[in-house]
Amino acid sequence: MAIDYSKGLSDNPIIQVVSATTLTQSSTSSSNFSNGLTCNITPHHSSNKIIVMGTGMISMGGGSTMGGILRILRTGVGSSYNVSGDGDFGHAYSGATNYDMDIVPSNGFIYFDSPGTTNTLTYYQQFRTTTSTVYYNKKQYANRPGKASFVLIEVVA
């Protein structure tokens, strides 16, 4: 839907915008997902949609074969829902076969979600390893921090 400003603000499809950022770093050697940044939004109408966008970073280190996954998960209605893909996969996969390499893909994302509720929703950046250790929000061997972000925009359907 395009915004037609000739009609004034009554034609504006944007209902609310919420955001969150963090410099917090974490790591895991588990194949189970760990939570990174979270952000909450409460839709005003069950037919409205949520634009989910932001940034996140994962890096690898400490093994001859390394790999990690970053996904976007939503909770708040029914069972949890992987907004960014199917099953254990998500929006970003990073891997390398050289020892002690920092592999940091560009992990910007944007998704259009249809939660169908007015319950409070929580969106999570989740990360896990496929092999070795994965670092969230940190370029491990360069010892540089990342800045994870979420922007959630409720729009009229």
Side-chain angles (χ1 to χ4, degrees):
M1 166 191 272
I3 300 173
D4 181 357
Y5 287 107
S6 66
K7 295 182 182 179
L9 293 178
S10 65
D11 193 43
N12 187 351
I14 298 173
I15 304 301
Q16 66 173 316
V17 178
V18 295
S19 64
T21 60
T22 187
L23 298 173
T24 302
Q25 302 169 3
S26 190
S27 66
T28 186
S29 298
S30 173
S31 60
N32 296 318
F33 280 98
S34 296
N35 291 334
L37 180 64
T38 64
C39 192
N40 298 318
I41 191 167
T42 304
H44 286 81
H45 195 278
S46 62
S47 66
N48 290 350
K49 309 299 183 195
I50 308 295
I51 299 171
V52 181
M53 57 185 168
T55 58
M57 177 197 314
I58 54 174
S59 68
M60 272 30 79
S64 58
T65 302
M66 301 165 272
I69 294 171
L70 181 66
R71 75 175 181 182
I72 310 304
L73 191 79
R74 182 220 330 126
T75 62
V77 57
S79 58
S80 58
Y81 174 69
N82 183 353
V83 175
S84 57
D86 293 325
D88 282 344
F89 293 95
H91 109 101
Y93 172 80
S94 183
T97 56
N98 295 325
Y99 191 77
D100 288 350
M101 287 185 68
D102 257 344
I103 305 298
V104 184
S106 174
N107 286 321
F109 55 88
I110 184 167
Y111 297 102
F112 195 66
D113 190 22
S114 302
T117 188
T118 56
N119 294 342
T120 297
L121 305 170
T122 302
Y123 290 85
Y124 299 83
Q125 290 185 24
Q126 292 190 319
F127 61 99
R128 73 174 182 91
T129 188
T130 57
T131 308
S132 197
T133 300
V134 65
Y135 300 88
Y136 172 76
N137 224 19
K138 180 179 183 183
K139 188 169 183 181
Q140 174 62 12
Y141 284 97
N143 197 24
R144 300 283 186 253
K147 184 175 184 179
S149 66
F150 262 126
V151 177
L152 305 176
I153 304 171
E154 180 184 3
V155 295
V156 174

